[in-house]
Amino acid sequence: MSGAGAAHGRTPPVPFPPPCHVPGPEGPWEEVQERIERTGRALVHTTWGQWLTPALLDPGLRTLLGRDWPRYRQHPAPAGRLSLAVSRVVLKHTAAAALQVPAGRLDLAYLPGGRPVLRGLGADLQVSLTHTDELIVVGVSRAGPVGVDAEPAGRRISYEALRDHVCTAEEAELLAALPEEERTDRFLRLWTLKEAYTKALGHGMRRRFSAVGFGWDATGTARLDGDTAGEWAFATHLVDGRFLVSEAHRQDAAQPAPGGTRAPSSADEPVRPPKALPPQGPRAIGLPQRRGPGQR
């Protein structure tokens, strides 16, 4: 890390542990709370099927959904309505676990670009949400903005059709030199990293991905081009052997943990290395389906 990063109270970017699996509203939440206390951030993954029954049978569902209740009631597609409800319930419970308050006390709102934010109680906690197929991932952070994105690891992607939209000239040149299978895997990882980064910024799909450049260091860790102060840290995980989950964090000045002390850095605890990316294999070509603001 450069001196500029240290001067602003930041710590060196380090590998992030894989997301915590939480199969239902009852938890377990201990690992999430421990990560928040130690590092100021945590990721949770689950599936909407695991949460569907307890979420829909919760007598407090209307309170949990809050501002999303009208959208839930008026959504024209049953699958979309259930996905909306369950993903917001997962987000609320994850934020509540991080804050150690009842989920029903939290007020979830959205910024103009669709970025979810907490109002009132817990407003200092940054949140991010993504879902694809049956997977739901929530990121929470007391240490600065967070963004998460996920895609099926075997998603059919048209590199040729999307290259100019997603890649800088340097990235396209490096990808073009790779074998086709490796190029597709690396392109998908790059796509999710840029989604996570722009969501952490609050820009979502309004920002041109081709204006944002990434490189990889000798350890395979993604680095943001031009981030000489080490403000940003990134990781990509293989979840359930089937999904790529990327996270982006901007580390602000040291944040207080509950109780008034500074939340220790990730460097203060050993972390498990991210799981290996999926084995390479042939990929067909197609266009990934995009999701609108607030539906991530």
Side-chain angles (χ1 to χ4, degrees), residues 151-273:
E151 294 287 353
R155 187 156 202 164
R156 299 167 183 264
I157 293 221
S158 173
Y159 169 71
E160 296 298 330
L162 297 172
R163 176 189 58 204
D164 294 340
H165 171 71
V166 175
C167 299
T168 64
E170 293 79 6
E171 289 167 342
E173 182 179 357
L174 291 173
L175 288 172
L178 298 176
E180 182 177 351
E181 296 84 359
E182 185 177 352
R183 180 192 311 130
T184 303
D185 288 338
R186 181 58 64 92
F187 181 74
L188 183 58
R189 182 180 175 188
L190 186 65
W191 179 286
T192 60
L193 283 167
K194 292 191 178 188
E195 286 270 16
Y197 171 62
T198 56
K199 287 165 73 173
L201 291 174
H203 296 169
M205 291 183 291
R206 295 176 298 168
R207 177 145 183 168
R208 291 175 51 246
F209 287 176
S210 59
V212 179
F214 278 89
W216 278 268
D217 64 18
T219 68
T221 301
R223 304 296 185 197
L224 180 66
D225 290 349
D227 182 21
T228 57
E231 291 183 286
W232 288 91
F234 305 89
T236 301
H237 313 279
L238 180 65
V239 170
D240 288 344
R242 298 183 299 123
F243 298 99
L244 289 182
V245 174
S246 286
E247 57 180 309
H249 297 269
R250 191 187 78 204
Q251 182 171 280
D252 290 342
Q255 298 291 317
T261 58
R262 183 188 66 83
S265 154
S266 300
D268 295 336
E269 66 169 352
V271 296
R272 293 170 286 168

Side-chain angles (χ1 to χ4, degrees), residues 271-285:
V271 296
R272 293 170 286 168
K275 296 180 182 178
L277 292 179
Q280 297 171 3
R283 301 282 194 271
I285 301 301

